[in-house]
Amino acid sequence: MRTTQRLLGLAAAAPASHDEDLLQLLRQASELYQQGFDDLRHAVATRFAGLSDEDLVTAVATAGMPCGASLDRDELLVVLALTEWEMTPAALAYTEIAEEAARRGVCLIPEE
């Protein structure tokens, strides 16, 4: 929940931030996003630990995500976690921050 609260706070601050401040805010948000996703990925791996690989493929398909036969167990778990993560308030707040930054030409990847 702490990650979510921090990302929501950053999302609220994004519209009033400019240039370097917005870039710093985006960096913090990106780190929090990754941390939150990693935490959820571990929770999903624990929750689905007892499932067979076939049942895991079924769970991914049930979640509405495409999965090829070439995906291994870890990749299937990442797909499940990502499906769940994308709908969390934390991930939605990060998306809001990234979109706000993009509208103003601020990006984490430097132009060459």
Side-chain angles (χ1 to χ4, degrees), residues 2-107:
R2 186 169 154 87
T3 299
T4 299
Q5 291 170 334
R6 289 179 62 197
L7 277 164
L8 289 171
L10 292 174
S17 299
H18 300 286
D19 302 325
E20 190 61 34
D21 290 337
L22 183 56
L23 181 59
Q24 266 311 105
L25 189 143
L26 185 58
R27 282 186 182 124
Q28 289 176 336
S30 179
E31 290 174 17
L32 289 168
Y33 179 95
Q34 290 301 319
Q35 177 186 342
F37 178 69
D38 285 345
D39 292 345
L40 181 64
R41 187 174 49 81
H42 290 298
V44 166
T46 300
R47 192 169 55 220
F48 289 98
L51 254 55
S52 69
D53 290 351
E54 289 175 355
D55 289 339
L56 197 53
V57 168
T58 301
V60 170
T62 301
M65 296 299 289
C67 67
S70 65
L71 296 181
D72 65 24
R73 184 175 188 83
D74 288 337
E75 291 168 327
L76 291 168
L77 290 168
V78 167
V79 170
L80 280 172
L82 188 57
T83 301
E84 189 173 325
W85 173 249
E86 287 177 338
M87 299 312 296
T88 65
L92 294 172
Y94 176 77
T95 299
E96 186 178 318
I97 295 164
E99 288 173 353
E100 179 71 25
R103 279 191 292 275
R104 294 197 260 154
V106 175
C107 180

